[in-house]
Structures are given as C-alpha cells and as structure tokens.
Amino acid sequence: MRHHIFLAVFLALGLIGAIRVNDYGNDMLFFHVNVVNDGAKDLDDLRVRVLIYDLGLILQTGNFDLQDGDTDGKFLFLDAEDVKPGTYLARITVSNDDVREVRHRYVTIA
C-alpha cells in the first residue's frame, strides 16, 4: 500500500519553525519539525512530540539542547502500514520543563 501525504506549513515565530509530512516509502511516513530558539537563552532537554488523535499514535524524539539563536530539524518516522486513508488531526509539541509550544495540523493520508 502506498500512502500519499499532503501537509505544508511554515510558521514564522516561536519554537516550532516549519512542519512537513512526507511519503518516505511504501508504508513509511516522516514528520520533519524545525525547532527554532529565537530567545536569548539556551534551551536544554527539549523534546518534539507528535500525537495523532484519531489513530492514538504518539511519536517523540529523545531530549536535545538548543543554543540561543540556533535552529534544528527533527525527524519522526511512522510505520503507516495499517493506517487507513483519511485526514487526521495531529498535535505537534516542542517542550521541556520550562517552555511548551503546541501547533495543530491536519495530515491527509490517501
């Protein structure tokens, strides 16, 4: 089964920079989340988490640090072999103990 994904979102401010979802292969999808530290202090122990509500799926990265003024891109992979085609609401969170930023995006799997 081959999935086709459509999601293109570009955000200008905050911790979450851009979010992309792409078809990686026959049954593999990936989310790419740009994390931007536009603040004046370093951020330690950040984590990116993607929750797809209707599928009950949670994907997350390990902890990482981001120096002030830096940007980093994080990939989260999903084995979509058993995912039914449709449009799903996803919650994308970048957080640590001090900061949290959340965005919601629709992911269409055809």
Side-chain angles (χ1 to χ4, degrees):
M1 176 187 304
R2 184 151 175 90
H3 296 285
H4 300 283
I5 303 303
F6 173 76
L7 178 67
V9 177
F10 297 93
L11 307 172
L13 301 173
L15 271 178
I16 300 176
I19 303 165
R20 296 175 193 88
V21 179
N22 291 311
D23 190 345
Y24 186 73
N26 290 336
D27 294 317
M28 185 67 67
L29 308 174
F30 73 84
F31 293 80
H32 180 255
V33 179
N34 280 337
V35 184
V36 179
N37 183 356
D38 58 5
K41 68 176 194 171
D42 298 345
L43 297 172
D44 296 327
D45 298 323
L46 289 171
R47 181 171 289 190
V48 176
R49 180 177 170 177
V50 175
L51 166 64
I52 303 175
Y53 292 104
D54 290 343
L55 300 177
L57 291 172
I58 298 173
L59 308 169
Q60 66 183 19
T61 66
N63 291 348
F64 63 96
D65 299 336
L66 197 59
Q67 306 303 315
D68 64 313
D70 281 351
T71 300
D72 195 1
K74 295 298 178 185
F75 287 93
L76 298 102
F77 292 89
L78 169 64
D79 180 359
E81 182 176 353
D82 297 324
V83 176
K84 293 181 183 178
T87 299
Y88 300 97
L89 183 61
R91 174 187 168 113
I92 299 95
T93 305
V94 176
S95 65
N96 66 10
D97 290 339
D98 301 317
V99 296
R100 174 180 309 272
E101 184 163 333
V102 176
R103 295 284 188 263
H104 287 86
R105 297 293 175 258
Y106 284 99
V107 177
T108 299
I109 301 174

